[in-house]
Amino acid sequence: MEITMSSCSHSHSSPKPAALVEQMIKRSLVPPKWKDSVRAIGLSEHREAALTLAHAFAADDYAQYLVDPGLSAVEDKWKLHVDIMKHAVAAHCINGLVTTIGPDYDSVALWLPPGKDLDSWWTVFRSGLWRLNFQLSKEGKKRYYDEILPLLHDTKASVLGGRDHDAWYLVYLGTKPNSQGRGYARSLLEDMIRRADRENRPMYLESSSPSNNIYYAKFGFVVKKEIYLQRGPQPVRLSIMVRDPEPASFESPALATPTATTKASSPVDQQPCCTSSPCSSLPSSKSTSTMTMTTTMSANSASSSSSSLSSLGAVDDRPDETRTKEERNGDHVMIVGEIKDVGL
């Protein structure tokens, strides 16, 4: 009797856990190619992308510099932080470029293409950037409109000179904390590096993290200048980084095929991940103010400007001992030095 019951139980036993997991994966509605393919997203997906950046930049000095004044409750600061990211992503979906990779918007990059800006009334209105004039505290507006925007705008123009309107501007690059170390940020960067090299255009970003500077240097970015935001208790440093085009490099093994599995753990990889620093798009030459992290409409004008900070804290990189020989060689072929390790 015992044998019969055992046999019957065995014959009707459910599939092993591993088999169930495999079956669920096969039946998933998430497109398989999202796992390791870079794709551009539209306005309908801006909320999901914004949450990724919000988590990536949650501990960033620049992000806190905007939301700290006038707000005491942590919940209120988080809500404002998320709204800022929503406005920024929406604006770039409308008149810039937003790329992502991973099954759940695991890493996101906001780009301002050459010659593009976020100043039009339609972009400001449609994206919600105009709301910042009412959402930021009195001191927050002074920091954003009177200090950050003009400083970022003037700095970009002075550093790039005649190439100001010919560069790809990395406004934000961030990876969810639980998705870091998988090579997602590297894939997003390499995807645009190949394009910039083909077009023979420079790339520009602002980094708010020294560890991110090291990471970006791996891809050929060089620190050109240091600027400081000084209205808070402690100055917030932003490193201005530029990458000159290397027309032959986009065909090299290091950039030939983007991989989502070539990430080395970096200081940034251990934190919410972002690009150089919270970023936003620069205002056009017609604008009198610039916006960072999210372009918004100024209090005295119906037009808005934006500026970008792009190297906050989340990049792709694993320790050399965990990477293949080809991957390690790729870092050096890719560009000048093996310096960058951020948690994107």
Side-chain angles (χ1 to χ4, degrees):
M1 187 66 180
E2 291 180 359
I3 296 177
T4 302
M5 291 178 65
S6 173
S7 174
C8 180
S9 172
H10 179 74
S11 62
H12 291 83
S13 61
S14 58
K16 295 180 180 180
L20 284 174
V21 171
E22 184 178 355
Q23 184 178 23
M24 291 174 66
I25 292 176
K26 289 180 178 179
R27 291 173 55 84
S28 174
L29 294 176
V30 178
K33 65 180 181 180
W34 283 13
K35 181 179 180 181
D36 53 14
S37 297
V38 175
R39 65 189 184 91
I41 66 172
L43 195 57
S44 63
E45 300 172 277
H46 82 279
R47 291 181 179 83
E48 292 85 348
L51 283 175
T52 290
L53 292 178
H55 284 289
F57 286 86
D60 180 75
D61 290 340
Y62 173 82
Q64 296 191 26
Y65 186 78
L66 276 179
V67 302
D68 274 348
L71 296 176
S72 55
V74 177
E75 293 79 3
D76 292 338
K77 291 182 179 181
W78 172 251
K79 184 178 183 301
L80 175 58
H81 176 57
V82 172
D83 282 346
I84 288 174
M85 291 301 178
K86 286 181 181 178
H87 302 330
V89 176
H92 286 81
C93 284
I94 294 169
N95 205 37
L97 175 65
V98 180
T99 57
T100 187
I101 188 172
D104 192 26
Y105 306 86
D106 296 84
S107 191
V108 174
L110 305 190
W111 302 92
L112 199 60
K116 291 279 190 175
D117 62 60
L118 308 181
D119 299 331
S120 74
W121 70 268
W122 175 249
T123 299
V124 173
F125 175 75
R126 187 74 178 85
S127 66
L129 286 174
W130 61 273
R131 295 178 184 274
L132 288 183
N133 187 51
F134 303 96
Q135 292 178 302
L136 294 172
S137 66
K138 182 177 181 180
E139 173 60 23
K141 285 188 285 189
K142 288 181 179 179
R143 293 184 183 186
Y144 189 68
Y145 294 112
D146 300 339
E147 180 188 26
I148 295 173
L149 299 187
L151 178 61
L152 293 183
H153 177 262
D154 295 346
T155 300
K156 182 171 180 285
S158 65
V159 169
L160 290 176
R163 303 187 298 171
D164 189 10
H165 299 292
D166 193 44
W168 277 96
Y169 193 178
L170 177 55
V171 178
Y172 272 108
L173 172 56
T175 300
K176 291 180 177 179
N178 61 359
S179 298
Q180 293 170 14
R182 302 179 189 178
Y184 287 143
R186 174 185 291 274
S187 294
L188 292 178
L189 269 178
E190 290 179 351
D191 178 69
M192 187 54 69
I193 286 174
R194 285 191 296 275
R195 178 169 179 175
D197 283 346
R198 284 196 300 270
E199 298 175 353
N200 197 32
R201 298 181 186 277
M203 299 174 73
Y204 179 97
L205 62 81
E206 299 104 352
S207 171
S208 62
S209 165
S211 60
N212 284 3
N213 295 0
I214 294 175
Y215 180 84
Y216 285 112
K218 283 181 167 184
F219 299 88
F221 286 89
V222 177
V223 175
K224 297 293 186 179
K225 187 175 183 178
E226 304 280 358
I227 59 176
Y228 295 85
L229 304 178
Q230 304 185 40
R231 291 189 64 92
Q234 298 293 330
V236 174
R237 183 177 68 178
L238 301 178
S239 299
I240 308 305
M241 303 188 74
V242 176
R243 180 188 184 276
D244 290 320
E246 299 182 1
S249 72
F250 73 89
E251 295 179 346
S252 72
L255 295 177
T257 308
T259 28
T261 55
T262 53
K263 181 171 183 178
S265 68
S266 67
V268 180
D269 237 346
Q270 325 253 328
Q271 316 167 2
C273 115
C274 334
T275 302
S276 342
S277 65
C279 319
S280 43
S281 338
L282 285 181
S284 69
S285 57
K286 298 178 181 178
S287 304
T288 56
S289 62
T290 321
M291 298 178 140
T292 298
M293 254 180 90
T294 63
T295 23
T296 75
M297 175 181 269
S298 77
N300 302 317
S301 170
S303 70
S304 90
S305 355
S306 54
S307 288
S308 123
L309 295 156
S310 52
S311 235
L312 287 193
V315 178
D316 273 352
D317 249 14
R318 289 169 301 169
D320 279 352
E321 60 266 26
T322 68
R323 304 159 67 197
T324 66
K325 180 179 179 181
E326 292 72 21
E327 288 171 341
R328 293 195 299 272
N329 290 341
D331 281 350
H332 300 284
V333 174
M334 235 161 103
I335 312 203
V336 199
E338 191 174 348
I339 318 173
K340 197 150 205 185
D341 227 291
V342 193
L344 289 175

